[in-house]
Amino acid sequence: MEFRKVMVAGAGQMGSGIAQVAAQAGLEVWLRDVEERFVERGLATIRKHLDRDVEKGRKTAEEREAILGRIHPTLDLGPAAGVDLVIEAIVENREAKRSLFAELDRLAPPGAIFASNTSSLPITDLATATRRPDRFIGMHFMNPVPVMKLVEIIRGLDTSEETYAAIRDLAGRMGKTPVEVHDFPGFVSNRVLLPMLNEAMFAVYEGIASVEDVDTVMKLGMNHPMGPLELADFIGLDTCLYILNVLYEGFKDPKYRPCPLLVQLVQAGHHGRKTGQGFYRYEADGSRVPAVRLRA
C-alpha cells in the first residue's frame, strides 16, 4: 500500500512533529485539532523547526515552503474521508483515544489504516473501538519527532501483515528506524525509561539529593544529554504519571508505583515545561531554577 494522504489528529508537540516528517516525506497532511489556537501553535512550531533547518543549510527556502504547502490545518474530522492513513497523537488517555477512533472509523475509507502514537496503551484494546482491527497499529514516535530516529511499531492481536509492512515502510520513508515491539504496557521505551525517571523522583522525595544534583549525576556520570528530572519536565509530569499508572495497573508490580512527589506535583497543576513549573521553574528569559526542595 502506498500512502499519499494522511490526517494527523492532534497538533501538539508530537502531532506537529509527525505532520512535519510526513510532509517532508511527500505526503499531503491534514493537521487537525479541536481549537484553532492549537492548530496555529502546531504550525508555528513546524515553521520554527524548518526555519532552523534553512538557517543551518539542511534545507533550502524552496523546500521549506513546499513542505509547509503540503500541510493543511483543519478543525474538522471530515477530511478523514479522503485519506489513506490516520495517525492519532492526542492526549494519553484511553477513553479520549477510543472515542476519537470510533468517530474516525465512521468517516475514513474502509481501506484506510489507523495508527496510534500512544506511548503506553494497549494497541489491541484501542483497535476494538473500530471495525478495522486488522488495519490498526501502534506507531510510537520519539520526542522531538523531527530529530529522533526511532519509531516503535506495535502490532495489535489482529493487525495484519500487510498493515505492519506498510507502516514499517512508511517509517523508513519518513527517515525513521522502525523497531517492532510486542503489545505490552509501555512497550520498550517507556517500560525502561519511566522507572528510571520515577526512581530519580524518589531520590529527591527521600532527601537523597537535590533536583539539580540528581540531574548532574546522570548527565556527568552516565553521559545522558538531559537529567531525568529535566527530561520528565520536558515530557510532561502529567504524561509521566499516566504512563506509570498504566504500567502499574498493567503489570500489578509495585516497582512501577508512582512517586508520591510526582502525584503531588500533578495534583498542583505543575506539569513541567508546558505549565512553566515542575521539578524546575522556567523563567521568561529561558533560564530555569529548581522548584522542588529536599525533604528535611
Side-chain angles (χ1 to χ4, degrees):
M1 180 177 184
E2 183 178 354
F3 298 109
R4 294 185 176 88
K5 299 178 180 180
V6 57
M7 170 174 280
V8 178
Q13 195 169 36
M14 296 302 294
S16 61
I18 294 168
Q20 178 181 330
V21 297
Q24 288 175 177
L27 281 73
E28 291 291 324
V29 181
W30 279 262
L31 180 60
R32 187 263 180 181
D33 215 312
V34 294
E35 293 185 29
E36 186 172 354
R37 62 191 176 105
F38 298 146
V39 177
E40 291 301 321
R41 186 185 305 160
L43 289 172
T45 299
I46 293 169
R47 177 171 281 279
K48 179 181 176 181
H49 289 158
L50 293 174
D51 286 346
R52 187 180 301 123
D53 284 347
V54 172
E55 290 169 9
K56 293 185 176 295
R58 293 190 289 256
K59 289 182 177 64
T60 65
E62 292 75 17
E63 288 172 329
R64 175 189 59 199
E65 296 309 311
I67 292 165
L68 290 170
R70 288 192 287 271
I71 301 174
H72 314 290
T74 181
L75 304 181
D76 186 10
L77 286 176
V83 301
D84 312 303
L85 171 68
V86 176
I87 302 177
E88 168 273 317
I90 66 169
V91 63
E92 188 70 357
N93 179 281
R94 174 182 181 270
E95 289 71 29
K97 289 181 187 292
R98 285 178 58 88
S99 176
L100 175 62
F101 277 122
E103 188 172 358
L104 286 165
D105 194 47
R106 294 190 289 269
L107 296 170
I113 289 175
F114 287 180
S116 176
N117 183 55
T118 179
S119 55
S120 61
L121 294 169
I123 297 303
T124 300
D125 175 62
L126 295 178
T128 62
T130 75
R131 297 162 294 179
R132 62 186 81 205
D134 59 319
R135 296 183 299 284
F136 198 106
I137 198 165
M139 200 176 188
H140 180 210
F141 291 83
M142 303 295 117
N143 189 24
V145 178
V147 176
M148 303 297 281
K149 293 295 185 182
L150 176 68
V151 173
E152 287 183 308
I153 298 181
I154 307 98
R155 302 193 209 209
L157 185 63
D158 296 319
T159 304
S160 70
E161 184 63 35
E162 293 77 15
T163 296
Y164 168 73
I167 292 298
R168 178 197 61 207
D169 292 348
L170 176 64
R173 181 178 165 188
M174 290 178 170
K176 306 302 180 186
T177 299
V179 174
E180 183 180 2
V181 178
H182 288 179
D183 193 14
F184 278 79
F187 316 132
V188 170
S189 56
N190 283 322
R191 184 172 177 176
V192 174
L193 175 63
L194 264 296
M196 183 192 75
L197 303 187
N198 199 42
E199 199 62 31
M201 297 170 193
F202 269 111
V204 174
Y205 178 67
E206 294 170 0
I208 296 171
S210 69
V211 169
E212 281 188 309
D213 286 346
V214 169
D215 277 350
T216 298
V217 166
M218 298 306 290
K219 286 190 287 187
L220 300 186
M222 311 304 167
N223 204 29
H224 290 191
M226 295 175 69
L229 302 172
E230 181 187 359
L231 178 56
D233 275 358
F234 180 74
I235 293 168
L237 300 187
D238 53 336
T239 300
C240 291
L241 179 58
Y242 192 91
I243 295 170
L244 281 165
N245 281 328
V246 168
L247 291 168
Y248 187 54
E249 290 299 319
F251 292 110
K252 308 298 182 186
D253 190 327
K255 72 181 180 182
Y256 298 114
R257 177 177 69 94
C259 176
L261 177 56
L262 172 63
V263 176
Q264 288 179 328
L265 288 169
V266 173
Q267 288 174 337
H270 303 321
H271 295 174
R273 283 193 184 184
K274 59 189 173 184
T275 61
Q277 183 171 328
F279 284 94
Y280 293 90
R281 184 172 66 252
Y282 298 86
E283 308 292 357
D285 63 2
S287 64
R288 68 171 188 267
V289 295
V292 175
R293 297 180 180 178
L294 283 170
R295 288 164 60 92

